[in-house]
């Protein structure tokens, strides 16, 4: 799964044992990338 560091804005891929930390700057806040697809919800 792809994440983006909120401090250095670099793409980060986490492995199972790497923990939640940017390997480039060490920041612990990672943002999950959203898909570019637009979902429509039917409201009745």
């Amino acid at each position: 799964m792809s994440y983006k560091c909120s401090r250095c804005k670099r793409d980060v891929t986490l492995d199972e044992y790497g923990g939640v930390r940017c390997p480039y700057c060490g920041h612990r806040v990672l943002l999950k990338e959203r898909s570019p697809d637009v979902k429509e919800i039917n409201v009745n």
Side-chain angles (χ1 to χ4, degrees):
M1 191 169 289
S2 180
Y3 293 89
K4 187 169 284 221
C5 176
S6 66
R7 180 183 287 165
C8 69
K9 308 295 188 224
R10 294 177 81 173
D11 291 327
V12 177
T13 302
L14 300 179
D15 57 1
E16 291 182 29
Y17 305 105
V20 181
R21 189 172 291 250
C22 176
Y24 305 105
C25 70
H27 198 60
R28 295 185 68 193
V29 178
L30 301 177
L31 306 172
K32 188 173 182 180
E33 289 289 304
R34 290 183 178 230
S35 125
D37 299 335
V38 177
K39 296 181 181 179
E40 293 184 19
I41 299 173
N42 292 331
V43 180
N44 294 334

